[in-house]
Amino acid sequence: MGWLMNTWRESAAGRELAALTDRLGRIGAAPALLPVGRLAAVDQHAAAIRDILTLGAGGVSQAQLAYYARGVRDAARDAGWTPPSAEGATTDWVVLRLAAVCLLATAGAAAGAELDPALFS
């Protein structure tokens, strides 16, 4: 029964991350829409997140990425953060951190694939 719960959890996390990517895309901050300079910042955030999850949670999975993204959003909102408009989205730290989560999810890290080291250089 544990495998079924894990499968369900990963599937739900995948849907949550896809919805987050869609929301970021609506304000022009999805990784695929970012200019090169901002994508470099997202790469740095992604490397930090990968390290945090690898050291703290033992790995990077869809569920771990979704939990991390929820934690970032919750902590930011508790500190008074509100989502920026499209004009300020690509310079907002929280938005860039969430874009990095989406980048990791789509880069194959969540599926257990080896990350291309060039992605974070």
Side-chain angles (χ1 to χ4, degrees):
M1 190 73 155
W3 65 269
L4 183 59
M5 191 58 145
N6 287 338
T7 301
W8 179 84
R9 188 177 298 122
E10 290 295 316
S11 177
R15 288 189 302 274
E16 185 176 341
L17 292 168
L20 175 60
T21 302
D22 182 59
R23 284 192 303 275
L24 290 173
R26 285 189 237 140
I27 59 171
L33 302 175
L34 291 171
V36 174
R38 286 291 143 209
L39 193 54
V42 171
D43 284 345
Q44 290 176 348
H45 281 281
I49 293 166
R50 185 194 64 223
D51 291 346
I52 289 167
L53 293 179
T54 301
L55 294 173
V60 180
S61 68
Q62 294 274 1
Q64 291 297 330
L65 288 169
Y67 296 148
Y68 183 85
R70 269 186 255 139
V72 168
R73 284 190 314 256
D74 291 347
R77 286 191 179 126
D78 289 349
W81 175 81
T82 56
S85 63
E87 293 81 40
T90 62
T91 59
D92 184 85
W93 187 92
V94 174
V95 170
L96 294 177
R97 197 67 165 199
L98 294 173
V101 169
C102 296
L103 180 65
L104 284 169
T106 59
E114 289 296 315
L115 290 175
D116 179 359
L119 182 64
F120 301 103
S121 59

Short mmCIF file of all heavy atoms in Angstrom, two decimals, residues 29-59:
data_model
loop_
_atom_site.label_atom_id
_atom_site.label_comp_id
_atom_site.label_asym_id
_atom_site.label_seq_id
_atom_site.Cartn_x
_atom_site.Cartn_y
_atom_site.Cartn_z
N ALA A 29 7.27 34.87 -15.66
CA ALA A 29 8.39 34.44 -14.83
C ALA A 29 8.64 32.94 -14.84
O ALA A 29 9.43 32.44 -14.05
CB ALA A 29 8.18 34.92 -13.39
N ALA A 30 8.00 32.21 -15.73
CA ALA A 30 8.31 30.79 -15.87
C ALA A 30 9.72 30.67 -16.44
O ALA A 30 10.14 31.53 -17.22
CB ALA A 30 7.29 30.10 -16.78
N PRO A 31 10.48 29.66 -16.06
CA PRO A 31 11.86 29.55 -16.54
C PRO A 31 12.01 29.68 -18.05
O PRO A 31 12.95 30.31 -18.53
CB PRO A 31 12.29 28.17 -16.05
CG PRO A 31 11.47 27.93 -14.83
CD PRO A 31 10.14 28.58 -15.13
N ALA A 32 11.09 29.12 -18.81
CA ALA A 32 11.20 29.18 -20.27
C ALA A 32 11.01 30.59 -20.82
O ALA A 32 11.40 30.87 -21.95
CB ALA A 32 10.17 28.25 -20.90
N LEU A 33 10.44 31.49 -20.03
CA LEU A 33 10.15 32.84 -20.50
C LEU A 33 11.15 33.88 -20.03
O LEU A 33 11.09 35.04 -20.45
CB LEU A 33 8.75 33.26 -20.02
CG LEU A 33 7.59 32.36 -20.46
CD1 LEU A 33 6.31 32.82 -19.81
CD2 LEU A 33 7.47 32.33 -21.96
N LEU A 34 12.06 33.49 -19.16
CA LEU A 34 12.97 34.46 -18.55
C LEU A 34 14.11 34.85 -19.49
O LEU A 34 14.62 34.01 -20.23
CB LEU A 34 13.55 33.90 -17.26
CG LEU A 34 12.56 33.74 -16.11
CD1 LEU A 34 13.21 32.98 -14.97
CD2 LEU A 34 12.07 35.10 -15.63
N PRO A 35 14.54 36.12 -19.42
CA PRO A 35 15.72 36.51 -20.19
C PRO A 35 16.96 35.82 -19.62
O PRO A 35 16.97 35.38 -18.47
CB PRO A 35 15.79 38.03 -20.01
CG PRO A 35 14.95 38.34 -18.82
CD PRO A 35 13.96 37.23 -18.68
N VAL A 36 18.01 35.77 -20.40
CA VAL A 36 19.22 35.03 -20.04
C VAL A 36 19.77 35.48 -18.68
O VAL A 36 20.13 34.65 -17.85
CB VAL A 36 20.29 35.17 -21.14
CG1 VAL A 36 21.60 34.55 -20.71
CG2 VAL A 36 19.80 34.54 -22.42
N GLY A 37 19.82 36.77 -18.42
CA GLY A 37 20.35 37.27 -17.15
C GLY A 37 19.56 36.78 -15.95
O GLY A 37 20.13 36.42 -14.91
N ARG A 38 18.26 36.75 -16.07
CA ARG A 38 17.41 36.27 -14.97
C ARG A 38 17.49 34.75 -14.85
O ARG A 38 17.42 34.21 -13.76
CB ARG A 38 15.96 36.69 -15.17
CG ARG A 38 15.72 38.12 -14.90
CD ARG A 38 15.87 38.41 -13.41
NE ARG A 38 16.49 39.70 -13.29
CZ ARG A 38 17.27 40.08 -12.29
NH1 ARG A 38 17.55 39.28 -11.31
NH2 ARG A 38 17.79 41.26 -12.27
N LEU A 39 17.65 34.08 -15.97
CA LEU A 39 17.76 32.62 -15.93
C LEU A 39 19.02 32.21 -15.18
O LEU A 39 19.03 31.20 -14.47
CB LEU A 39 17.75 32.04 -17.34
CG LEU A 39 17.56 30.54 -17.44
CD1 LEU A 39 16.32 30.08 -16.68
CD2 LEU A 39 17.48 30.12 -18.89
N ALA A 40 20.07 33.02 -15.28
CA ALA A 40 21.30 32.73 -14.52
C ALA A 40 21.02 32.81 -13.02
O ALA A 40 21.51 31.98 -12.25
CB ALA A 40 22.40 33.71 -14.92
N ALA A 41 20.23 33.79 -12.61
CA ALA A 41 19.86 33.90 -11.19
C ALA A 41 19.02 32.71 -10.76
O ALA A 41 19.19 32.16 -9.67
CB ALA A 41 19.11 35.21 -10.94
N VAL A 42 18.11 32.28 -11.63
CA VAL A 42 17.28 31.11 -11.33
C VAL A 42 18.15 29.86 -11.21
O VAL A 42 17.92 29.02 -10.34
CB VAL A 42 16.17 30.93 -12.40
CG1 VAL A 42 15.44 29.61 -12.24
CG2 VAL A 42 15.18 32.09 -12.32
N ASP A 43 19.16 29.73 -12.06
CA ASP A 43 20.09 28.59 -11.97
C ASP A 43 20.78 28.56 -10.61
O ASP A 43 20.97 27.49 -10.02
CB ASP A 43 21.15 28.67 -13.06
CG ASP A 43 20.63 28.26 -14.43
OD1 ASP A 43 19.55 27.66 -14.51
OD2 ASP A 43 21.33 28.56 -15.42
N GLN A 44 21.17 29.73 -10.11
CA GLN A 44 21.81 29.79 -8.79
C GLN A 44 20.84 29.38 -7.69
O GLN A 44 21.20 28.65 -6.77
CB GLN A 44 22.36 31.19 -8.54
CG GLN A 44 23.54 31.51 -9.41
CD GLN A 44 24.05 32.93 -9.23
OE1 GLN A 44 23.40 33.77 -8.61
NE2 GLN A 44 25.23 33.20 -9.75
N HIS A 45 19.60 29.85 -7.79
CA HIS A 45 18.58 29.44 -6.83
C HIS A 45 18.36 27.92 -6.90
O HIS A 45 18.24 27.25 -5.88
CB HIS A 45 17.25 30.15 -7.11
CG HIS A 45 17.17 31.55 -6.60
ND1 HIS A 45 16.93 31.85 -5.28
CD2 HIS A 45 17.28 32.74 -7.25
CE1 HIS A 45 16.89 33.17 -5.13
NE2 HIS A 45 17.11 33.73 -6.31
N ALA A 46 18.32 27.39 -8.13
CA ALA A 46 18.09 25.95 -8.31
C ALA A 46 19.21 25.13 -7.68
O ALA A 46 18.96 24.10 -7.04
CB ALA A 46 17.96 25.62 -9.80
N ALA A 47 20.44 25.58 -7.83
CA ALA A 47 21.56 24.87 -7.21
C ALA A 47 21.43 24.88 -5.70
O ALA A 47 21.68 23.86 -5.03
CB ALA A 47 22.88 25.50 -7.65
N ALA A 48 21.03 26.01 -5.13
CA ALA A 48 20.86 26.10 -3.68
C ALA A 48 19.73 25.18 -3.21
O ALA A 48 19.87 24.47 -2.20
CB ALA A 48 20.58 27.54 -3.27
N ILE A 49 18.63 25.18 -3.93
CA ILE A 49 17.49 24.32 -3.55
C ILE A 49 17.89 22.86 -3.64
O ILE A 49 17.58 22.06 -2.74
CB ILE A 49 16.28 24.60 -4.46
CG1 ILE A 49 15.74 26.01 -4.19
CG2 ILE A 49 15.18 23.56 -4.24
CD1 ILE A 49 14.77 26.50 -5.25
N ARG A 50 18.58 22.51 -4.72
CA ARG A 50 19.02 21.11 -4.88
C ARG A 50 19.90 20.69 -3.70
O ARG A 50 19.73 19.61 -3.15
CB ARG A 50 19.79 20.96 -6.20
CG ARG A 50 20.17 19.53 -6.50
CD ARG A 50 21.19 19.43 -7.60
NE ARG A 50 22.41 20.07 -7.15
CZ ARG A 50 23.15 20.89 -7.89
NH1 ARG A 50 22.80 21.17 -9.12
NH2 ARG A 50 24.25 21.43 -7.41
N ASP A 51 20.81 21.58 -3.30
CA ASP A 51 21.68 21.27 -2.15
C ASP A 51 20.88 21.15 -0.87
O ASP A 51 21.11 20.23 -0.08
CB ASP A 51 22.77 22.34 -2.01
CG ASP A 51 23.79 22.31 -3.13
OD1 ASP A 51 23.83 21.31 -3.89
OD2 ASP A 51 24.54 23.29 -3.27
N ILE A 52 19.96 22.05 -0.65
CA ILE A 52 19.13 22.02 0.57
C ILE A 52 18.35 20.71 0.64
O ILE A 52 18.33 20.04 1.67
CB ILE A 52 18.18 23.23 0.61
CG1 ILE A 52 18.96 24.51 0.89
CG2 ILE A 52 17.07 23.03 1.64
CD1 ILE A 52 18.16 25.79 0.64
N LEU A 53 17.70 20.35 -0.46
CA LEU A 53 16.88 19.14 -0.45
C LEU A 53 17.73 17.88 -0.39
O LEU A 53 17.34 16.91 0.26
CB LEU A 53 15.94 19.12 -1.65
CG LEU A 53 14.86 20.20 -1.66
CD1 LEU A 53 14.01 20.07 -2.92
CD2 LEU A 53 14.00 20.12 -0.41
N THR A 54 18.86 17.88 -1.04
CA THR A 54 19.72 16.70 -1.03
C THR A 54 20.29 16.48 0.37
O THR A 54 20.32 15.36 0.87
CB THR A 54 20.85 16.84 -2.06
OG1 THR A 54 20.26 17.00 -3.35
CG2 THR A 54 21.75 15.63 -2.07
N LEU A 55 20.74 17.55 0.99
CA LEU A 55 21.33 17.42 2.33
C LEU A 55 20.27 17.24 3.42
O LEU A 55 20.47 16.47 4.34
CB LEU A 55 22.20 18.64 2.65
CG LEU A 55 23.43 18.81 1.78
CD1 LEU A 55 24.12 20.13 2.07
CD2 LEU A 55 24.40 17.65 1.97
N GLY A 56 19.16 17.95 3.30
CA GLY A 56 18.16 17.91 4.36
C GLY A 56 17.13 16.80 4.22
O GLY A 56 16.75 16.17 5.19
N ALA A 57 16.67 16.58 3.00
CA ALA A 57 15.60 15.62 2.79
C ALA A 57 16.08 14.32 2.16
O ALA A 57 15.31 13.40 1.97
CB ALA A 57 14.51 16.24 1.91
N GLY A 58 17.34 14.27 1.80
CA GLY A 58 17.89 13.05 1.24
C GLY A 58 17.69 12.89 -0.25
O GLY A 58 18.11 11.90 -0.82
N GLY A 59 17.07 13.83 -0.90
CA GLY A 59 16.89 13.73 -2.34
C GLY A 59 15.93 14.76 -2.86
O GLY A 59 15.27 15.46 -2.10
#
